[in-house]
C-alpha cells in the first residue's frame, strides 16, 4: 500500500502504450488497473498526444486518482491510483 502523502509513489505495475493510438491506451489502462489492488498505483507510458486528455478524462470518470502527468522524452508518464 502506498502512503497518499508519499512524494515519490512507487507504481505497483507499469504498462507501455508507446506506439498505440487513442483510445487503445485508455482501453489498456482500464483493463490493467483492475489487476492491482485499491490504493496501489498504475504507471502508464504513452506517446499519443491525445492520451493526455483521454486518460485524464477516463480517470476522472472512472473515479480513480490521477496523481501526475509528466512529460518525458517521447511522450507522457501517468501515475494513477486505483480507487475501490
Amino acid at each position: 500500500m502506498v502512503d497518499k502523502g508519499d512524494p515519490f509513489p512507487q507504481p505497483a505495475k507499469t504498462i507501455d502504450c508507446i506506439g498505440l493510438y487513442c483510445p487503445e491506451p485508455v482501453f489498456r489502462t482500464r483493463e490493467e488497473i483492475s489487476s492491482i489492488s485499491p490504493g496501489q498505483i498504475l504507471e502508464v507510458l504513452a506517446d499519443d498526444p491525445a492520451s493526455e486528455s483521454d486518460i485524464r478524462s477516463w480517470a476522472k470518470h472512472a473515479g480513480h486518482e490521477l496523481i501526475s502527468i509528466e512529460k518525458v522524452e517521447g511522450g507522457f508518464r501517468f501515475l494513477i491510483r486505483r480507487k475501490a
Side-chain angles (χ1 to χ4, degrees):
M1 182 80 68
V2 177
D3 179 12
K4 190 171 182 169
D6 186 350
F8 304 105
Q10 296 299 308
K13 189 171 194 176
T14 298
I15 59 170
D16 183 353
C17 296
I18 301 295
L20 301 177
Y21 294 101
C22 281
E24 189 64 27
V26 174
F27 292 157
R28 294 205 43 206
T29 301
R30 182 179 62 196
E31 184 176 293
E32 294 297 328
I33 205 161
S34 65
S35 70
I36 62 174
S37 300
Q40 289 187 316
I41 295 171
L42 178 67
E43 177 183 48
V44 180
L45 305 174
D47 61 350
D48 182 355
S51 66
E52 183 176 12
S53 62
D54 288 358
I55 290 178
R56 181 189 308 269
S57 295
W58 169 81
K60 183 177 180 180
H61 178 75
H64 300 295
E65 179 187 358
L66 180 60
I67 297 171
S68 67
I69 302 174
E70 183 180 344
K71 289 189 177 185
V72 295
E73 185 175 333
F76 302 96
R77 175 179 182 252
F78 302 89
L79 293 178
I80 305 165
R81 186 185 317 274
R82 180 180 172 185
K83 295 295 182 182

